[in-house]
Amino acid sequence: MDFLGFITMLIAGFTACAEFTSYALVHPIIRQLPQKHHILFEQGSLKTYGLIMPILMPLSVILTLSFALFTNELGSIELTARFTTAGMFILATFITIRYNVPINKEIKQWDADNPPSDWKEIRKRWMFFQSVRSWLLLIGFVSLCFSMAISY
C-alpha cells in the first residue's frame, strides 16, 4: 500500500467510524437521558466533535477523491469503488454542512433548563440527517476497503 492509500484509509476510516459509532451506539443512550442531561450532553459533544470533524470530513473528501484520481493502473471495479467512496464522503459532508451544522449552531445556544418547546423535534431532524450521513460514511469506508482488497 502506498502512502496516499494508507493515509486515506486512516483518516476516512476514523471519520466514518466516529460518526457511525455516534449514531449507532452513543445517541440511542443519550435519547434516554432526562431533558437537561440530554441537552447538556449534546452541547458537550458539539465541543469535541466540533473541533475534529470540520477538519476530518473535508480532509476525507480530499483524500478519497485524490485516491480515486491519482492512482494508476486500476481495473474498472477498483476505480468504481474508489469513486463510490469519494462520492459517499462528498455527499455526507454536504449533508453535514447543509443540515446538521445549522442545527448544531442552534443547539449550542440552548438553555438546558429552558430549551425551545420543539427541542425534541429539532433533535429528531438532526438525528435523521445524522443517520443518513453515518450510513453514507460507513458505505464509503467499506467501498474503500473493498477497493484496496481487490487491488493489492
Side-chain angles (χ1 to χ4, degrees), residues 103-116:
I103 295 171
N104 288 344
K105 288 180 181 178
E106 184 179 340
I107 291 169
K108 282 182 182 179
Q109 304 305 315
W110 288 354
D111 175 358
D113 290 316
N114 189 24

Side-chain angles (χ1 to χ4, degrees), residues 3 21 28 31 49 58 60 75 99 110 114 130-131:
F3 181 74
T21 299
R31 285 193 299 272
Y49 275 86
S60 292
Y99 299 104
W110 288 354
N114 189 24
Q130 173 70 3
S131 67

Side-chain angles (χ1 to χ4, degrees), residues 1-150:
M1 178 184 310
D2 62 9
F3 181 74
L4 179 58
F6 171 76
I7 199 74
T8 301
M9 178 75 80
L10 180 70
I11 300 298
F14 180 85
T15 303
C17 292
E19 288 294 342
F20 196 82
T21 299
S22 170
Y23 156 72
L25 303 177
V26 176
H27 282 281
I29 295 168
I30 296 169
R31 285 193 299 272
Q32 304 305 315
L33 294 173
Q35 172 185 305
K36 180 177 180 175
H37 296 114
H38 181 153
I39 293 169
L40 289 172
F41 190 98
E42 295 291 353
Q43 290 172 331
S45 71
L46 288 173
K47 291 177 185 173
T48 56
Y49 275 86
L51 290 175
I52 60 171
M53 287 306 167
I55 297 165
L56 293 181
M57 288 189 81
L59 183 57
S60 292
V61 167
I62 292 166
L63 288 169
T64 57
L65 193 54
S66 297
F67 193 56
L69 291 170
F70 301 118
T71 50
N72 298 323
E73 301 176 19
L74 291 176
S76 62
I77 294 173
E78 295 96 329
L79 198 55
T80 299
R82 289 185 187 181
F83 276 107
T84 297
T85 297
M88 295 292 164
F89 275 84
I90 290 167
L91 191 53
T93 301
F94 172 78
I95 288 169
T96 300
I97 293 167
R98 173 69 176 92
Y99 299 104
N100 293 90
V101 168
I103 295 171
N104 288 344
K105 288 180 181 178
E106 184 179 340
I107 291 169
K108 282 182 182 179
Q109 304 305 315
W110 288 354
D111 175 358
D113 290 316
N114 189 24
S117 59
D118 62 343
W119 77 273
K120 283 188 179 182
E121 291 305 314
I122 293 168
R123 288 300 310 156
K124 283 180 187 177
R125 191 168 65 247
W126 182 91
M127 196 62 202
F128 171 77
F129 292 110
Q130 173 70 3
S131 67
V132 172
R133 72 178 174 170
S134 295
W135 278 105
L136 288 169
L137 291 169
L138 183 64
I139 293 166
F141 181 61
V142 169
S143 181
L144 176 62
C145 293
F146 174 74
S147 79
M148 292 183 148
I150 62 176

